[in-house]
Amino acid sequence: MFRPLRLALAVGAALALTACGHHRARPEADLAASKITTIGVNSYLWRATLDTLSFMPLLQTDSNGGVVVTDWYVNPQVPNERMKVTVSILDQDLRADALRVAALREVNRNGQWVSAPVAASTTQKLEDIILTRARDLRRASITG
């Protein structure tokens, strides 16, 4: 989408929100934090998710619902193991609890893919990487 159109949509959305009957005080920084766009979720988290998972084949992306689902990915270094990841972005704000990562893991046993446990640290690490990338994107947009 062209930048002027995106800016017009963001300004229009901000004006529409301020015209609502709810007069809850919100700091202006929240507009930058959520970076209102035509997608239904935080654009920094969305972009960071796509960047982080770019090495995996994508099966489904829904920017309005905030869901990214990868297809099975086999790391060439570990050919008898494969992973599938689902990332859900739950909010328009850039917050740690606005992101949920779920992963499935299978190992190849005698030619059959069998479910295997995923270490909790794996999904936590992915969440941390996505959040760090989103914060970097936000910081770059404010200073740049």
Side-chain angles (χ1 to χ4, degrees):
M1 189 178 294
F2 295 104
R3 190 175 196 97
L5 181 55
R6 187 178 295 167
L7 179 61
L9 288 171
V11 170
L15 290 174
L17 288 174
T18 58
C20 290
H22 304 288
H23 293 312
R24 191 173 73 172
R26 291 183 66 130
E28 285 184 34
D30 268 5
L31 182 60
S34 59
K35 179 99 175 183
I36 296 173
T37 64
T38 57
I39 66 174
V41 295
N42 183 279
S43 63
Y44 300 118
L45 286 172
W46 180 255
R47 181 77 247 156
T49 297
L50 294 176
D51 288 353
T52 302
L53 300 178
S54 64
F55 68 96
M56 300 178 85
L58 296 180
L59 195 58
Q60 174 191 351
T61 59
D62 176 7
S63 61
N64 286 320
V67 176
V68 175
V69 180
T70 71
D71 205 351
W72 290 106
Y73 170 75
V74 178
N75 181 339
Q77 320 254 295
V78 190
N80 65 334
E81 177 182 291
R82 66 183 186 174
M83 297 281 295
K84 185 175 193 171
V85 176
T86 300
V87 176
S88 301
I89 301 169
L90 309 170
D91 201 324
Q92 285 236 335
D93 292 330
L94 177 50
R95 301 186 330 232
D97 63 351
L99 184 70
R100 181 164 299 130
V101 175
L104 297 173
R105 178 175 165 252
E106 291 184 344
V107 293
N108 194 330
R109 291 205 180 113
N110 302 321
Q112 293 285 82
W113 289 105
V114 180
S115 291
V118 177
S121 62
T122 301
T123 55
Q124 184 61 52
K125 189 171 202 161
L126 265 174
E127 285 180 7
D128 291 345
I129 291 168
I130 292 169
L131 286 166
T132 299
R133 175 73 178 132
R135 289 181 189 117
D136 290 346
L137 289 169
R138 179 175 180 263
R139 198 172 304 119
S141 76
I142 291 172
T143 60

